Amino acid sequence: MWRRLRIAVLLLVLASVAFSAWHAKANATAWKGTLRVAVYPLAADDSAATRRYLQRLGEDSFQPISDYLNSEAARHGVTTQRPVDITLGGEIRQLPPPRPQGGSVLDSILWSLQLRYWAWQHSPPTSPKPQVRLYLIYHDPALTPRVPHSSGLEKGMLGVVHLFADPRQTAQNHVVAAHELLHTLGASDKYDMATGLPLHPDGYAAPFQEPRYPQSEAELMAGRLPLGPDRARIPDSLDETLVGPASAREIGWRR
Ligand SMILES: [Zn+2]
């Protein structure tokens, strides 16, 4: 009897968590009001360069990302005044649980639950309350020339984004952060997982231009700018990217 009751309560809790996650996402991607995004910086190491970079971050450091998304939303027909707003939250001192490398599906599910629990514990109050939370982990490139993979989770609408604490990388950091932000809203990757090359046509900014190569812009969710059938490069800044129609549909900008 008690056992059955406990299981029923547990199922009820899980169902309510799932429902509230679904509801939050449906609400965010209806684009009826401004989507509130909070970014929380974290230092991956104790290098002086990373500390300096974090100290220089201000509210306007992330304006290029919101300006870009707002103009892309308008281009896709969103009529909300300011669809995306990004607020800088306080620095967080404890790193999130690391993503398992090459683990099983169960490992990833467990990690995503751990991460949601960690985020729940590490959401310093910002006003207004954010719908999407991005944890920006900054690495000194002299210590970490290759940063771990970033993740944007649709369930819970949160992202862990690995970036470089170097002013010369700021514009490229914006590309990575915007890409993960769209993941939290339901956009999928548009590149070949094996080769990293953009998938045609959805991963191309101008899929039907003649000749097809080189492209002059990258599709944000493809992550790379195609230069030839087997060559692509990382865009230097958001100016070299756009949100294609397939990604726009996934996040509710197009019906
Ligand atoms: Zn991605």
Side-chain angles (χ1 to χ4, degrees):
M1 161 72 183
W2 285 114
R3 189 164 173 269
R4 274 200 195 158
L5 193 67
R6 277 214 311 266
I7 292 174
V9 168
L10 185 66
L11 286 177
L12 207 65
V13 169
L14 284 176
S16 91
V17 167
F19 175 78
S20 73
W22 170 84
H23 185 258
K25 209 219 124 199
N27 194 21
T29 53
W31 302 102
K32 297 254 163 60
T34 301
L35 178 79
R36 307 289 177 185
V37 180
V39 291
Y40 302 106
L42 294 92
D45 44 58
D46 46 19
S47 103
T50 305
R51 183 57 29 220
R52 251 195 325 273
Y53 193 92
L54 259 71
Q55 274 162 358
R56 284 197 197 130
L57 289 177
E59 201 68 62
D60 53 358
S61 306
F62 302 96
Q63 180 104 29
I65 304 176
S66 47
D67 286 350
Y68 165 82
L69 292 173
N70 287 333
S71 88
E72 283 298 275
R75 195 170 65 79
H76 284 292
V78 174
T79 51
T80 311
Q81 242 322 305
R82 190 171 167 70
V84 178
D85 184 67
I86 302 178
T87 314
L88 175 62
E91 185 183 343
I92 291 174
R93 307 278 170 179
Q94 195 202 337
L95 290 170
R99 177 167 142 174
Q101 294 204 338
S104 66
V105 175
L106 185 65
D107 287 339
S108 331
I109 293 173
L110 285 176
W111 172 74
S112 114
L113 287 173
Q114 273 175 354
L115 186 66
R116 284 162 76 181
Y117 180 66
W118 176 90
W120 176 71
Q121 292 175 303
H122 295 88
S123 297
T126 46
S127 172
K129 195 172 181 293
Q131 293 157 281
V132 177
R133 289 163 294 171
L134 292 183
Y135 295 90
L136 309 181
I137 307 181
Y138 289 95
H139 299 257
D140 179 349
L143 300 174
T144 314
R146 276 186 67 117
V147 295
H149 284 296
S150 296
S151 328
L153 303 186
E154 193 179 337
K155 294 214 169 62
M157 291 200 289
L158 58 99
V160 174
V161 190
H162 291 276
L163 302 171
F164 287 114
D166 182 336
R168 287 166 299 183
Q169 296 279 342
T170 295
Q172 227 164 46
N173 285 346
H174 290 160
V175 177
V176 179
H179 174 104
E180 299 305 331
L181 173 51
L182 291 208
H183 272 318
T184 71
L185 301 172
S188 62
D189 280 320
K190 292 175 182 64
Y191 59 86
D192 183 323
M193 295 294 156
T195 62
L197 291 167
L199 292 169
H200 190 269
D202 290 347
Y204 280 58
F208 305 113
Q209 78 172 17
E210 287 290 343
R212 190 181 290 176
Y213 304 104
Q215 296 266 317
S216 56
E217 287 176 304
E219 202 284 329
L220 184 63
M221 299 314 292
R224 280 166 198 265
L225 197 157
L227 298 171
D230 47 17
R231 265 184 334 126
R233 69 168 173 87
I234 295 173
D236 291 329
S237 72
L238 285 170
D239 292 341
E240 281 192 332
T241 77
L242 58 74
V243 177
S247 300
R249 255 190 302 279
E250 287 170 329
I251 62 170
W253 281 355
R254 278 174 179 241
R255 298 288 155 200

